[in-house]
Amino acid sequence: MHTLYGSQGSGSAALEMGLLNCRIPYRVMRASTWEADSARAELAAANPLGQIPTLVLPGGEVLTESAAILVHLGLSHPSCGLLPSSATARAQSIRGLVYLATNCYAAIGVIDYPERWTTTNDKSELERLQAGTRLRLHACWDAFADTFPATPFLSGSQPGALDFLAVVVSR
């Protein structure tokens, strides 16, 4: 059985949607760096960065990074429709997943934890970093909307990996 390390309100929701969509049995281990009573030690053993989501496959292999995990699920279970069947559409969907991870998800990490991205402890400097990052994040979302129009979904005629990650990251 797959084991998903995650927490309510985190990016693990996109993977839960993907696993459910593919009808893959899994269990959730509530784990996060901000929940002292969660499975943080087990998460750290699987993912030294302590980041969620982290997915452990039935054979013990560890996958991290939401976009990569969704691509893995989509390629491993093509009939579930996480990724489009057309090679061109699939390539664009993977492009969108990577775009979200690098441009939007990463910016949210800076907004949430600005102290991780600078050497200053000055509150006004941290707030300026957050404000600038928010502006960049909004510009990235605008570009995403222009580049990946919904037809009717981002993944095509049915919701897929790109839709799942977009809805979670935009929240």
Side-chain angles (χ1 to χ4, degrees):
M1 177 175 291
H2 290 67
T3 300
L4 177 61
Y5 289 91
S7 187
Q8 189 170 355
S10 75
S12 61
L15 298 185
E16 288 193 58
M17 286 186 265
L19 290 160
L20 287 169
N21 191 73
C22 292
R23 293 178 174 80
I24 297 170
Y26 70 98
R27 67 184 180 119
V28 175
M29 292 289 292
R30 187 176 62 83
S32 70
T33 56
W34 63 87
E35 295 173 301
D37 66 337
S38 68
R40 292 193 302 190
E42 294 89 338
L43 171 62
N47 181 349
L49 293 179
Q51 294 174 330
I52 55 173
T54 293
L55 184 67
V56 180
L57 303 180
E61 302 86 0
V62 175
L63 298 178
T64 64
E65 314 313 321
S66 298
I69 296 168
L70 287 167
V71 169
H72 165 75
L73 294 174
L75 293 175
S76 298
H77 305 278
S79 64
C80 72
L82 278 184
L83 296 173
S85 57
S86 153
T88 302
R90 187 171 49 253
Q92 289 302 313
S93 186
I94 292 170
R95 173 184 173 217
L97 289 166
V98 173
Y99 180 97
L100 289 174
T102 58
N103 293 293
C104 300
Y105 218 169
I108 292 166
V110 175
I111 293 166
D112 288 348
Y113 303 101
E115 67 281 356
R116 292 180 182 174
W117 302 97
T118 181
T119 57
T120 187
N121 291 324
D122 182 81
K123 184 178 179 183
S124 65
E125 290 284 329
L126 294 172
E127 288 171 352
R128 281 198 295 279
L129 175 60
Q130 288 173 307
T133 305
R134 269 191 200 89
L135 288 174
R136 177 67 182 164
L137 174 61
H138 291 215
C140 288
W141 274 118
D142 288 343
F144 179 84
D146 292 341
T147 305
F148 300 95
T151 58
F153 298 99
L154 297 170
S155 298
S157 62
Q158 67 181 36
L162 186 55
D163 302 276
F164 300 158
L165 191 60
V167 76
V168 169
V169 173
S170 67
R171 180 124 174 25

